Every structure is written in C-alpha cells, then in structure tokens.
PDB file of all heavy atoms in Angstrom:
ATOM      1  N   PHE A   1       0.812  -1.211   0.000  1.00  0.00           N
ATOM      2  CA  PHE A   1       0.000   0.000   0.000  1.00  0.00           C
ATOM      3  C   PHE A   1       0.851   1.269   0.000  1.00  0.00           C
ATOM      4  O   PHE A   1       0.398   2.316  -0.460  1.00  0.00           O
ATOM      5  CB  PHE A   1      -0.930   0.012   1.217  1.00  0.00           C
ATOM      6  CG  PHE A   1      -1.674  -1.283   1.401  1.00  0.00           C
ATOM      7  CD1 PHE A   1      -1.525  -2.031   2.560  1.00  0.00           C
ATOM      8  CD2 PHE A   1      -2.498  -1.771   0.396  1.00  0.00           C
ATOM      9  CE1 PHE A   1      -2.198  -3.225   2.717  1.00  0.00           C
ATOM     10  CE2 PHE A   1      -3.185  -2.965   0.549  1.00  0.00           C
ATOM     11  CZ  PHE A   1      -3.031  -3.703   1.717  1.00  0.00           C
ATOM     12  N   LEU A   2       2.073   1.183   0.509  1.00  0.00           N
ATOM     13  CA  LEU A   2       2.934   2.355   0.639  1.00  0.00           C
ATOM     14  C   LEU A   2       3.976   2.453  -0.463  1.00  0.00           C
ATOM     15  O   LEU A   2       4.642   3.486  -0.596  1.00  0.00           O
ATOM     16  CB  LEU A   2       3.649   2.335   1.996  1.00  0.00           C
ATOM     17  CG  LEU A   2       2.760   2.181   3.231  1.00  0.00           C
ATOM     18  CD1 LEU A   2       3.615   2.183   4.485  1.00  0.00           C
ATOM     19  CD2 LEU A   2       1.712   3.279   3.295  1.00  0.00           C
ATOM     20  N   GLU A   3       4.137   1.402  -1.230  1.00  0.00           N
ATOM     21  CA  GLU A   3       5.095   1.384  -2.322  1.00  0.00           C
ATOM     22  C   GLU A   3       4.428   0.772  -3.546  1.00  0.00           C
ATOM     23  O   GLU A   3       3.429   0.064  -3.432  1.00  0.00           O
ATOM     24  CB  GLU A   3       6.342   0.555  -1.969  1.00  0.00           C
ATOM     25  CG  GLU A   3       7.066   0.979  -0.708  1.00  0.00           C
ATOM     26  CD  GLU A   3       7.771   2.324  -0.821  1.00  0.00           C
ATOM     27  OE1 GLU A   3       7.806   2.891  -1.931  1.00  0.00           O
ATOM     28  OE2 GLU A   3       8.290   2.798   0.203  1.00  0.00           O
ATOM     29  N   ASN A   4       5.000   1.023  -4.706  1.00  0.00           N
ATOM     30  CA  ASN A   4       4.482   0.456  -5.938  1.00  0.00           C
ATOM     31  C   ASN A   4       5.005  -0.971  -6.093  1.00  0.00           C
ATOM     32  O   ASN A   4       6.211  -1.180  -6.254  1.00  0.00           O
ATOM     33  CB  ASN A   4       4.906   1.319  -7.128  1.00  0.00           C
ATOM     34  CG  ASN A   4       4.289   0.851  -8.425  1.00  0.00           C
ATOM     35  OD1 ASN A   4       4.575  -0.231  -8.916  1.00  0.00           O
ATOM     36  ND2 ASN A   4       3.426   1.686  -8.989  1.00  0.00           N
ATOM     37  N   ALA A   5       4.103  -1.928  -6.040  1.00  0.00           N
ATOM     38  CA  ALA A   5       4.503  -3.332  -6.067  1.00  0.00           C
ATOM     39  C   ALA A   5       5.156  -3.710  -7.391  1.00  0.00           C
ATOM     40  O   ALA A   5       6.109  -4.510  -7.421  1.00  0.00           O
ATOM     41  CB  ALA A   5       3.289  -4.223  -5.798  1.00  0.00           C
ATOM     42  N   ALA A   6       4.680  -3.158  -8.504  1.00  0.00           N
ATOM     43  CA  ALA A   6       5.262  -3.481  -9.808  1.00  0.00           C
ATOM     44  C   ALA A   6       6.695  -2.974  -9.906  1.00  0.00           C
ATOM     45  O   ALA A   6       7.569  -3.651 -10.468  1.00  0.00           O
ATOM     46  CB  ALA A   6       4.407  -2.881 -10.928  1.00  0.00           C
ATOM     47  N   THR A   7       6.952  -1.795  -9.345  1.00  0.00           N
ATOM     48  CA  THR A   7       8.313  -1.262  -9.342  1.00  0.00           C
ATOM     49  C   THR A   7       9.234  -2.146  -8.518  1.00  0.00           C
ATOM     50  O   THR A   7      10.351  -2.475  -8.947  1.00  0.00           O
ATOM     51  CB  THR A   7       8.317   0.170  -8.771  1.00  0.00           C
ATOM     52  OG1 THR A   7       7.523   1.008  -9.604  1.00  0.00           O
ATOM     53  CG2 THR A   7       9.733   0.719  -8.695  1.00  0.00           C
ATOM     54  N   ALA A   8       8.778  -2.546  -7.330  1.00  0.00           N
ATOM     55  CA  ALA A   8       9.590  -3.423  -6.483  1.00  0.00           C
ATOM     56  C   ALA A   8       9.870  -4.744  -7.181  1.00  0.00           C
ATOM     57  O   ALA A   8      10.996  -5.267  -7.136  1.00  0.00           O
ATOM     58  CB  ALA A   8       8.864  -3.661  -5.156  1.00  0.00           C
ATOM     59  N   ASP A   9       8.871  -5.288  -7.848  1.00  0.00           N
ATOM     60  CA  ASP A   9       9.023  -6.558  -8.558  1.00  0.00           C
ATOM     61  C   ASP A   9      10.046  -6.432  -9.680  1.00  0.00           C
ATOM     62  O   ASP A   9      10.900  -7.321  -9.859  1.00  0.00           O
ATOM     63  CB  ASP A   9       7.665  -6.983  -9.111  1.00  0.00           C
ATOM     64  CG  ASP A   9       7.721  -8.289  -9.879  1.00  0.00           C
ATOM     65  OD1 ASP A   9       7.988  -9.330  -9.257  1.00  0.00           O
ATOM     66  OD2 ASP A   9       7.510  -8.263 -11.112  1.00  0.00           O
ATOM     67  N   ALA A  10       9.989  -5.338 -10.417  1.00  0.00           N
ATOM     68  CA  ALA A  10      10.927  -5.138 -11.518  1.00  0.00           C
ATOM     69  C   ALA A  10      12.361  -5.023 -11.013  1.00  0.00           C
ATOM     70  O   ALA A  10      13.292  -5.573 -11.622  1.00  0.00           O
ATOM     71  CB  ALA A  10      10.535  -3.883 -12.305  1.00  0.00           C
ATOM     72  N   ILE A  11      12.544  -4.330  -9.909  1.00  0.00           N
ATOM     73  CA  ILE A  11      13.884  -4.189  -9.330  1.00  0.00           C
ATOM     74  C   ILE A  11      14.392  -5.534  -8.833  1.00  0.00           C
ATOM     75  O   ILE A  11      15.571  -5.880  -9.027  1.00  0.00           O
ATOM     76  CB  ILE A  11      13.875  -3.144  -8.204  1.00  0.00           C
ATOM     77  CG1 ILE A  11      13.587  -1.758  -8.771  1.00  0.00           C
ATOM     78  CG2 ILE A  11      15.195  -3.154  -7.435  1.00  0.00           C
ATOM     79  CD1 ILE A  11      13.292  -0.711  -7.722  1.00  0.00           C
ATOM     80  N   LYS A  12      13.519  -6.295  -8.208  1.00  0.00           N
ATOM     81  CA  LYS A  12      13.927  -7.617  -7.709  1.00  0.00           C
ATOM     82  C   LYS A  12      14.357  -8.532  -8.861  1.00  0.00           C
ATOM     83  O   LYS A  12      15.361  -9.245  -8.749  1.00  0.00           O
ATOM     84  CB  LYS A  12      12.782  -8.253  -6.935  1.00  0.00           C
ATOM     85  CG  LYS A  12      13.118  -9.634  -6.377  1.00  0.00           C
ATOM     86  CD  LYS A  12      11.984 -10.202  -5.533  1.00  0.00           C
ATOM     87  CE  LYS A  12      12.368 -11.567  -4.981  1.00  0.00           C
ATOM     88  NZ  LYS A  12      11.319 -12.128  -4.100  1.00  0.00           N
ATOM     89  N   LYS A  13      13.628  -8.485  -9.948  1.00  0.00           N
ATOM     90  CA  LYS A  13      13.917  -9.380 -11.071  1.00  0.00           C
ATOM     91  C   LYS A  13      15.126  -8.934 -11.871  1.00  0.00           C
ATOM     92  O   LYS A  13      15.845  -9.768 -12.434  1.00  0.00           O
ATOM     93  CB  LYS A  13      12.692  -9.466 -11.981  1.00  0.00           C
ATOM     94  CG  LYS A  13      11.535 -10.245 -11.375  1.00  0.00           C
ATOM     95  CD  LYS A  13      10.325 -10.236 -12.291  1.00  0.00           C
ATOM     96  CE  LYS A  13       9.192 -11.062 -11.697  1.00  0.00           C
ATOM     97  NZ  LYS A  13       7.951 -10.972 -12.525  1.00  0.00           N
ATOM     98  N   ASN A  14      15.356  -7.634 -11.948  1.00  0.00           N
ATOM     99  CA  ASN A  14      16.454  -7.135 -12.777  1.00  0.00           C
ATOM    100  C   ASN A  14      17.111  -5.923 -12.122  1.00  0.00           C
ATOM    101  O   ASN A  14      17.022  -4.795 -12.619  1.00  0.00           O
ATOM    102  CB  ASN A  14      15.929  -6.774 -14.169  1.00  0.00           C
ATOM    103  CG  ASN A  14      17.046  -6.425 -15.137  1.00  0.00           C
ATOM    104  OD1 ASN A  14      18.181  -6.906 -15.005  1.00  0.00           O
ATOM    105  ND2 ASN A  14      16.741  -5.571 -16.103  1.00  0.00           N
ATOM    106  N   PRO A  15      17.803  -6.129 -10.991  1.00  0.00           N
ATOM    107  CA  PRO A  15      18.399  -4.992 -10.280  1.00  0.00           C
ATOM    108  C   PRO A  15      19.609  -4.435 -11.020  1.00  0.00           C
ATOM    109  O   PRO A  15      20.381  -5.184 -11.621  1.00  0.00           O
ATOM    110  CB  PRO A  15      18.813  -5.598  -8.930  1.00  0.00           C
ATOM    111  CG  PRO A  15      19.066  -7.045  -9.242  1.00  0.00           C
ATOM    112  CD  PRO A  15      18.068  -7.411 -10.310  1.00  0.00           C
ATOM    113  N   SER A  16      19.748  -3.129 -10.949  1.00  0.00           N
ATOM    114  CA  SER A  16      20.957  -2.493 -11.481  1.00  0.00           C
ATOM    115  C   SER A  16      22.125  -2.811 -10.553  1.00  0.00           C
ATOM    116  O   SER A  16      21.936  -3.331  -9.446  1.00  0.00           O
ATOM    117  CB  SER A  16      20.756  -0.984 -11.555  1.00  0.00           C
ATOM    118  OG  SER A  16      20.613  -0.456 -10.238  1.00  0.00           O
ATOM    119  N   GLU A  17      23.327  -2.466 -11.001  1.00  0.00           N
ATOM    120  CA  GLU A  17      24.491  -2.700 -10.136  1.00  0.00           C
ATOM    121  C   GLU A  17      24.385  -1.878  -8.856  1.00  0.00           C
ATOM    122  O   GLU A  17      24.740  -2.349  -7.764  1.00  0.00           O
ATOM    123  CB  GLU A  17      25.773  -2.356 -10.888  1.00  0.00           C
ATOM    124  CG  GLU A  17      26.116  -3.328 -12.003  1.00  0.00           C
ATOM    125  CD  GLU A  17      26.214  -4.775 -11.509  1.00  0.00           C
ATOM    126  OE1 GLU A  17      26.866  -5.003 -10.461  1.00  0.00           O
ATOM    127  OE2 GLU A  17      25.628  -5.659 -12.147  1.00  0.00           O
ATOM    128  N   ALA A  18      23.868  -0.641  -8.977  1.00  0.00           N
ATOM    129  CA  ALA A  18      23.699   0.188  -7.780  1.00  0.00           C
ATOM    130  C   ALA A  18      22.666  -0.436  -6.844  1.00  0.00           C
ATOM    131  O   ALA A  18      22.851  -0.448  -5.622  1.00  0.00           O
ATOM    132  CB  ALA A  18      23.263   1.595  -8.180  1.00  0.00           C
ATOM    133  N   ALA A  19      21.584  -0.963  -7.419  1.00  0.00           N
ATOM    134  CA  ALA A  19      20.561  -1.602  -6.586  1.00  0.00           C
ATOM    135  C   ALA A  19      21.127  -2.833  -5.885  1.00  0.00           C
ATOM    136  O   ALA A  19      20.819  -3.087  -4.710  1.00  0.00           O
ATOM    137  CB  ALA A  19      19.348  -1.975  -7.432  1.00  0.00           C
ATOM    138  N   LYS A  20      21.946  -3.597  -6.589  1.00  0.00           N
ATOM    139  CA  LYS A  20      22.563  -4.782  -5.964  1.00  0.00           C
ATOM    140  C   LYS A  20      23.413  -4.375  -4.761  1.00  0.00           C
ATOM    141  O   LYS A  20      23.374  -5.027  -3.708  1.00  0.00           O
ATOM    142  CB  LYS A  20      23.427  -5.523  -6.982  1.00  0.00           C
ATOM    143  CG  LYS A  20      22.635  -6.245  -8.060  1.00  0.00           C
ATOM    144  CD  LYS A  20      23.578  -6.902  -9.065  1.00  0.00           C
ATOM    145  CE  LYS A  20      22.818  -7.563 -10.197  1.00  0.00           C
ATOM    146  NZ  LYS A  20      23.721  -8.143 -11.225  1.00  0.00           N
ATOM    147  N   ASP A  21      24.189  -3.310  -4.916  1.00  0.00           N
ATOM    148  CA  ASP A  21      25.013  -2.819  -3.814  1.00  0.00           C
ATOM    149  C   ASP A  21      24.132  -2.390  -2.635  1.00  0.00           C
ATOM    150  O   ASP A  21      24.436  -2.688  -1.472  1.00  0.00           O
ATOM    151  CB  ASP A  21      25.870  -1.639  -4.265  1.00  0.00           C
ATOM    152  CG  ASP A  21      27.016  -2.062  -5.164  1.00  0.00           C
ATOM    153  OD1 ASP A  21      27.348  -3.267  -5.173  1.00  0.00           O
ATOM    154  OD2 ASP A  21      27.555  -1.192  -5.881  1.00  0.00           O
ATOM    155  N   ASN A  22      23.046  -1.695  -2.947  1.00  0.00           N
ATOM    156  CA  ASN A  22      22.159  -1.227  -1.882  1.00  0.00           C
ATOM    157  C   ASN A  22      21.398  -2.379  -1.223  1.00  0.00           C
ATOM    158  O   ASN A  22      21.123  -2.325  -0.024  1.00  0.00           O
ATOM    159  CB  ASN A  22      21.177  -0.197  -2.447  1.00  0.00           C
ATOM    160  CG  ASN A  22      21.847   1.141  -2.726  1.00  0.00           C
ATOM    161  OD1 ASN A  22      22.702   1.582  -1.970  1.00  0.00           O
ATOM    162  ND2 ASN A  22      21.475   1.780  -3.830  1.00  0.00           N
ATOM    163  N   ILE A  23      21.069  -3.410  -1.984  1.00  0.00           N
ATOM    164  CA  ILE A  23      20.423  -4.590  -1.393  1.00  0.00           C
ATOM    165  C   ILE A  23      21.382  -5.287  -0.434  1.00  0.00           C
ATOM    166  O   ILE A  23      20.990  -5.746   0.641  1.00  0.00           O
ATOM    167  CB  ILE A  23      19.931  -5.544  -2.497  1.00  0.00           C
ATOM    168  CG1 ILE A  23      18.718  -4.921  -3.210  1.00  0.00           C
ATOM    169  CG2 ILE A  23      19.555  -6.909  -1.915  1.00  0.00           C
ATOM    170  CD1 ILE A  23      18.317  -5.633  -4.488  1.00  0.00           C
ATOM    171  N   ARG A  24      22.646  -5.353  -0.813  1.00  0.00           N
ATOM    172  CA  ARG A  24      23.644  -5.928   0.104  1.00  0.00           C
ATOM    173  C   ARG A  24      23.746  -5.087   1.382  1.00  0.00           C
ATOM    174  O   ARG A  24      23.893  -5.630   2.482  1.00  0.00           O
ATOM    175  CB  ARG A  24      25.001  -6.042  -0.597  1.00  0.00           C
ATOM    176  CG  ARG A  24      25.076  -7.189  -1.594  1.00  0.00           C
ATOM    177  CD  ARG A  24      26.495  -7.414  -2.090  1.00  0.00           C
ATOM    178  NE  ARG A  24      26.913  -6.399  -3.052  1.00  0.00           N
ATOM    179  CZ  ARG A  24      26.759  -6.511  -4.368  1.00  0.00           C
ATOM    180  NH1 ARG A  24      26.194  -7.587  -4.893  1.00  0.00           N
ATOM    181  NH2 ARG A  24      27.182  -5.552  -5.185  1.00  0.00           N
ATOM    182  N   GLN A  25      23.668  -3.760   1.222  1.00  0.00           N
ATOM    183  CA  GLN A  25      23.704  -2.889   2.400  1.00  0.00           C
ATOM    184  C   GLN A  25      22.461  -3.102   3.256  1.00  0.00           C
ATOM    185  O   GLN A  25      22.540  -3.144   4.489  1.00  0.00           O
ATOM    186  CB  GLN A  25      23.799  -1.428   1.967  1.00  0.00           C
ATOM    187  CG  GLN A  25      23.903  -0.458   3.140  1.00  0.00           C
ATOM    188  CD  GLN A  25      23.919   1.001   2.706  1.00  0.00           C
ATOM    189  OE1 GLN A  25      24.036   1.311   1.525  1.00  0.00           O
ATOM    190  NE2 GLN A  25      23.777   1.907   3.661  1.00  0.00           N
ATOM    191  N   LEU A  26      21.301  -3.254   2.623  1.00  0.00           N
ATOM    192  CA  LEU A  26      20.061  -3.529   3.357  1.00  0.00           C
ATOM    193  C   LEU A  26      20.196  -4.822   4.153  1.00  0.00           C
ATOM    194  O   LEU A  26      19.801  -4.892   5.326  1.00  0.00           O
ATOM    195  CB  LEU A  26      18.894  -3.625   2.376  1.00  0.00           C
ATOM    196  CG  LEU A  26      17.536  -4.012   2.962  1.00  0.00           C
ATOM    197  CD1 LEU A  26      17.004  -2.910   3.864  1.00  0.00           C
ATOM    198  CD2 LEU A  26      16.539  -4.323   1.838  1.00  0.00           C
ATOM    199  N   ALA A  27      20.780  -5.840   3.536  1.00  0.00           N
ATOM    200  CA  ALA A  27      20.958  -7.126   4.219  1.00  0.00           C
ATOM    201  C   ALA A  27      21.896  -6.978   5.421  1.00  0.00           C
ATOM    202  O   ALA A  27      21.652  -7.566   6.481  1.00  0.00           O
ATOM    203  CB  ALA A  27      21.487  -8.164   3.241  1.00  0.00           C
ATOM    204  N   ARG A  28      22.947  -6.191   5.259  1.00  0.00           N
ATOM    205  CA  ARG A  28      23.871  -5.986   6.382  1.00  0.00           C
ATOM    206  C   ARG A  28      23.166  -5.290   7.543  1.00  0.00           C
ATOM    207  O   ARG A  28      23.382  -5.624   8.717  1.00  0.00           O
ATOM    208  CB  ARG A  28      25.098  -5.182   5.932  1.00  0.00           C
ATOM    209  CG  ARG A  28      26.049  -5.937   5.030  1.00  0.00           C
ATOM    210  CD  ARG A  28      27.372  -5.209   4.876  1.00  0.00           C
ATOM    211  NE  ARG A  28      27.232  -3.945   4.164  1.00  0.00           N
ATOM    212  CZ  ARG A  28      27.314  -3.803   2.839  1.00  0.00           C
ATOM    213  NH1 ARG A  28      27.522  -4.858   2.080  1.00  0.00           N
ATOM    214  NH2 ARG A  28      27.193  -2.611   2.284  1.00  0.00           N
ATOM    215  N   GLN A  29      22.342  -4.311   7.220  1.00  0.00           N
ATOM    216  CA  GLN A  29      21.584  -3.630   8.273  1.00  0.00           C
ATOM    217  C   GLN A  29      20.587  -4.576   8.927  1.00  0.00           C
ATOM    218  O   GLN A  29      20.397  -4.563  10.142  1.00  0.00           O
ATOM    219  CB  GLN A  29      20.878  -2.412   7.689  1.00  0.00           C
ATOM    220  CG  GLN A  29      21.826  -1.305   7.265  1.00  0.00           C
ATOM    221  CD  GLN A  29      21.096  -0.101   6.683  1.00  0.00           C
ATOM    222  OE1 GLN A  29      19.875  -0.036   6.685  1.00  0.00           O
ATOM    223  NE2 GLN A  29      21.850   0.867   6.177  1.00  0.00           N
ATOM    224  N   ALA A  30      19.943  -5.404   8.120  1.00  0.00           N
ATOM    225  CA  ALA A  30      18.984  -6.368   8.664  1.00  0.00           C
ATOM    226  C   ALA A  30      19.676  -7.415   9.533  1.00  0.00           C
ATOM    227  O   ALA A  30      19.112  -7.875  10.536  1.00  0.00           O
ATOM    228  CB  ALA A  30      18.219  -7.043   7.520  1.00  0.00           C
ATOM    229  N   ASP A  31      20.905  -7.777   9.174  1.00  0.00           N
ATOM    230  CA  ASP A  31      21.660  -8.748   9.972  1.00  0.00           C
ATOM    231  C   ASP A  31      21.820  -8.271  11.417  1.00  0.00           C
ATOM    232  O   ASP A  31      21.819  -9.076  12.362  1.00  0.00           O
ATOM    233  CB  ASP A  31      23.044  -8.985   9.362  1.00  0.00           C
ATOM    234  CG  ASP A  31      23.002  -9.865   8.120  1.00  0.00           C
ATOM    235  OD1 ASP A  31      22.009 -10.607   7.946  1.00  0.00           O
ATOM    236  OD2 ASP A  31      23.954  -9.794   7.323  1.00  0.00           O
ATOM    237  N   LYS A  32      21.965  -6.966  11.597  1.00  0.00           N
ATOM    238  CA  LYS A  32      22.156  -6.420  12.938  1.00  0.00           C
ATOM    239  C   LYS A  32      20.900  -6.550  13.803  1.00  0.00           C
ATOM    240  O   LYS A  32      20.979  -6.442  15.030  1.00  0.00           O
ATOM    241  CB  LYS A  32      22.567  -4.947  12.845  1.00  0.00           C
ATOM    242  CG  LYS A  32      23.918  -4.727  12.163  1.00  0.00           C
ATOM    243  CD  LYS A  32      24.236  -3.245  12.036  1.00  0.00           C
ATOM    244  CE  LYS A  32      25.554  -3.018  11.310  1.00  0.00           C
ATOM    245  NZ  LYS A  32      25.860  -1.574  11.141  1.00  0.00           N
ATOM    246  N   LEU A  33      19.769  -6.778  13.156  1.00  0.00           N
ATOM    247  CA  LEU A  33      18.513  -6.900  13.892  1.00  0.00           C
ATOM    248  C   LEU A  33      18.223  -8.330  14.323  1.00  0.00           C
ATOM    249  O   LEU A  33      17.365  -8.553  15.182  1.00  0.00           O
ATOM    250  CB  LEU A  33      17.351  -6.399  13.020  1.00  0.00           C
ATOM    251  CG  LEU A  33      17.428  -4.947  12.561  1.00  0.00           C
ATOM    252  CD1 LEU A  33      16.311  -4.666  11.557  1.00  0.00           C
ATOM    253  CD2 LEU A  33      17.310  -4.002  13.753  1.00  0.00           C
ATOM    254  N   LEU A  34      18.936  -9.289  13.746  1.00  0.00           N
ATOM    255  CA  LEU A  34      18.594 -10.692  13.976  1.00  0.00           C
ATOM    256  C   LEU A  34      18.761 -11.106  15.430  1.00  0.00           C
ATOM    257  O   LEU A  34      17.982 -11.898  15.955  1.00  0.00           O
ATOM    258  CB  LEU A  34      19.437 -11.599  13.067  1.00  0.00           C
ATOM    259  CG  LEU A  34      19.188 -11.425  11.573  1.00  0.00           C
ATOM    260  CD1 LEU A  34      20.151 -12.289  10.755  1.00  0.00           C
ATOM    261  CD2 LEU A  34      17.740 -11.771  11.213  1.00  0.00           C
ATOM    262  N   GLY A  35      19.763 -10.594  16.092  1.00  0.00           N
ATOM    263  CA  GLY A  35      19.989 -10.965  17.487  1.00  0.00           C
ATOM    264  C   GLY A  35      19.550  -9.917  18.483  1.00  0.00           C
ATOM    265  O   GLY A  35      19.768 -10.058  19.689  1.00  0.00           O
ATOM    266  N   LYS A  36      18.917  -8.848  17.982  1.00  0.00           N
ATOM    267  CA  LYS A  36      18.537  -7.744  18.859  1.00  0.00           C
ATOM    268  C   LYS A  36      17.300  -8.077  19.681  1.00  0.00           C
ATOM    269  O   LYS A  36      16.360  -8.711  19.203  1.00  0.00           O
ATOM    270  CB  LYS A  36      18.267  -6.488  18.018  1.00  0.00           C
ATOM    271  CG  LYS A  36      17.909  -5.258  18.836  1.00  0.00           C
ATOM    272  CD  LYS A  36      17.738  -4.022  17.963  1.00  0.00           C
ATOM    273  CE  LYS A  36      17.299  -2.818  18.788  1.00  0.00           C
ATOM    274  NZ  LYS A  36      17.154  -1.599  17.970  1.00  0.00           N
ATOM    275  N   GLN A  37      17.308  -7.652  20.937  1.00  0.00           N
ATOM    276  CA  GLN A  37      16.150  -7.799  21.810  1.00  0.00           C
ATOM    277  C   GLN A  37      15.297  -6.536  21.738  1.00  0.00           C
ATOM    278  O   GLN A  37      15.824  -5.424  21.774  1.00  0.00           O
ATOM    279  CB  GLN A  37      16.601  -8.049  23.251  1.00  0.00           C
ATOM    280  CG  GLN A  37      17.387  -9.335  23.446  1.00  0.00           C
ATOM    281  CD  GLN A  37      16.573 -10.568  23.108  1.00  0.00           C
ATOM    282  OE1 GLN A  37      15.448 -10.740  23.578  1.00  0.00           O
ATOM    283  NE2 GLN A  37      17.144 -11.440  22.277  1.00  0.00           N
TER     284      GLN A  37
END
C-alpha cells in the first residue's frame, strides 16, 4: 500500500548494479537486527 509493487518486482527481477550494492547494504543492516532484543 505504501510502495508500488510493480516497481519493487521489476527491481527484484532485474536490479541495477547500484541496486545490488544497496540490497547488500540492506541485508547488512537487517543482519544487525537478527539478534537484537
């Protein structure tokens, strides 16, 4: 509801090199939440 689902889908299926780098950064940030209380 807050983002365009078709845009997200297109990025997931065919990410640019910049998007790939940012997805890796997102994963690193998410990793820090895995053990957080």
Side-chain angles (χ1 to χ4, degrees):
F1 312 120
L2 307 180
E3 304 291 354
N4 185 294
T7 298
D9 179 66
I11 294 169
K12 180 176 181 177
K13 289 177 178 175
N14 188 28
S16 65
E17 290 304 314
K20 289 177 183 177
D21 287 343
N22 286 322
I23 289 168
R24 285 190 285 269
Q25 182 183 350
L26 176 68
R28 289 193 293 271
Q29 292 180 6
D31 284 339
K32 296 177 182 178
L33 300 172
L34 296 176
K36 182 176 177 179
Q37 297 298 310

